[in-house]
Amino acid sequence: EGSFLVGYLAGLATKTNAVGFVGGMEVALIRRFLMAYEAGAKAANPKVKVLNNFVGITASAWANPTRGKELALSQINQGADVIFHAAGASGMGVFDAAEEKKVYAIGVDSNQNAIKPGRVLTSMLKRVDTAVYAVIAEVVKGEFKPGLRSFGLKDKGIDYAVDSNNEALIAPYKSKLEEVRAQIISG
């Protein structure tokens, strides 16, 4: 849900009809991030092209900002003007490339908007705090049941970041993003 939503934002914000995705380790979960991002971008802009690369196939792919920057620069050279990373520390290279080439990046997991103010369009948030609080509240009430839980937009387990670093950047798209968020939540 979060990757779709930031993909939708990328599809709205692109001026070149090309956006990018840099994943860390090429694994099924990160491919799902890519697929949702691409679906969101194309839902907002059917003409958009989604370029994608993965840093690598081993755990070191999460900690290679030099390679992250190289991949982002390659996508920028192919026209991408918004790049979403799901690459751990390798994403720092994506932010460097976005700053250098004056395009936008999208962060992941936590609010990364302040890393390169004015260059990070938003960050897709995994609200672990929300999940932890919900479980603690169940324990306190004596209602805890072990098992798998999934938190999404509906229960505020996923979101996108808005703060003083990006509020003006996403202002033109905010009402449309909120409309799409409501559509996702309603099913």
Side-chain angles (χ1 to χ4, degrees), residues 19-23 30 33-34 37 51-54 75 83-84 86:
V19 299
F21 175 87
V22 175
I30 305 305
F33 273 66
L34 166 60
Y37 176 71
L51 306 168
N52 71 85
N53 297 98
F54 291 84
Q75 292 177 6
I83 302 174
F84 176 36

Side-chain angles (χ1 to χ4, degrees), residues 4-5 11 13 25 30 35 37 48 50-51 55 61 64 67 84 90 95-97 111 119 129-130 148 156 164 176:
F4 182 92
L5 201 55
M25 187 175 170
I30 305 305
M35 291 170 23
Y37 176 71
V48 79
V50 180
L51 306 168
V55 175
N64 191 342
R67 184 70 177 138
F84 176 36
S90 297
F95 292 135
D96 289 342
N111 185 345
R119 290 288 131 212
D129 58 327
T130 300
L148 182 62
K156 298 181 172 78
S164 62
K176 191 63 179 163

Side-chain angles (χ1 to χ4, degrees), residues 22 55 62-74 76 83 85 87-101 103 105 112 115-116:
V22 175
V55 175
W62 302 112
N64 191 342
T66 301
R67 184 70 177 138
K69 182 177 181 179
E70 289 170 357
L71 294 173
L73 288 172
S74 173
I76 293 164
I83 302 174
H85 92 82
S90 297
M92 296 305 113
V94 174
F95 292 135
D96 289 342
E99 179 181 53
E100 183 179 310
K101 296 296 185 176
V103 300
Q112 298 182 316
I115 291 173
K116 300 288 182 182

Side-chain angles (χ1 to χ4, degrees), residues 17-18 29 42-43 56 82 84 98 106 125 142 152 154 167 177 181:
N17 288 328
L29 174 65
K42 289 187 177 198
V82 181
F84 176 36
I106 296 175
L125 304 175
K154 184 175 186 174
E167 196 168 34
L177 274 179
R181 175 207 297 266

